[in-house]
Amino acid sequence: MQISVTIRVINDVRTGVSKTTGREYKNQDILVAWTERGRDGFDHENLQLVTLHGQYVDKFAALNPKPGDVIMAEISFGTRSFNGKVYNDNTLYV
């Protein structure tokens, strides 16, 4: 879903080596917000914690982003399971 979002929080970049695959990883969590008009006729603010992976961490950094900036990005909403539990897995692409 391509959308214009406002950056609210930029968390630190996480790097490491996966214990299961042995591959290096780089991730960063970002809190973004956008407004949509609901069926009730009122605007509703949506907040979503999304994750940048790999090369998208570097592409995001190249934008020199700061909280309050508005960017055009794509959000992919998904889930993943780990140890019998299901978690949100929402990815941001810039």
Side-chain angles (χ1 to χ4, degrees), residues 38-56:
R39 288 184 179 179
D40 59 6
F42 293 99
D43 288 339
H44 300 279
E45 183 178 56
N46 296 291
L47 293 167
Q48 190 66 50
L49 184 66
V50 293
T51 304
L52 297 154
H53 299 279
Q55 67 180 349
Y56 294 102

Side-chain angles (χ1 to χ4, degrees), residues 16-70:
V17 176
S18 170
K19 292 178 184 177
T20 55
T21 66
R23 289 183 283 174
E24 291 184 10
Y25 65 84
K26 182 189 301 188
N27 298 330
Q28 186 174 21
D29 293 330
I30 310 294
L31 181 64
V32 296
W34 69 96
T35 303
E36 290 180 320
R37 173 105 359 145
R39 288 184 179 179
D40 59 6
F42 293 99
D43 288 339
H44 300 279
E45 183 178 56
N46 296 291
L47 293 167
Q48 190 66 50
L49 184 66
V50 293
T51 304
L52 297 154
H53 299 279
Q55 67 180 349
Y56 294 102
V57 173
D58 299 327
K59 287 183 178 184
F60 181 75
L63 298 173
N64 195 24
K66 50 194 171 311
D69 287 353
V70 177

Side-chain angles (χ1 to χ4, degrees), residues 20 78-90:
T20 55
T79 60
R80 62 180 171 76
S81 57
F82 180 73
N83 286 340
K85 293 185 179 182
V86 178
Y87 299 89
N88 285 329
D89 190 18
N90 303 321

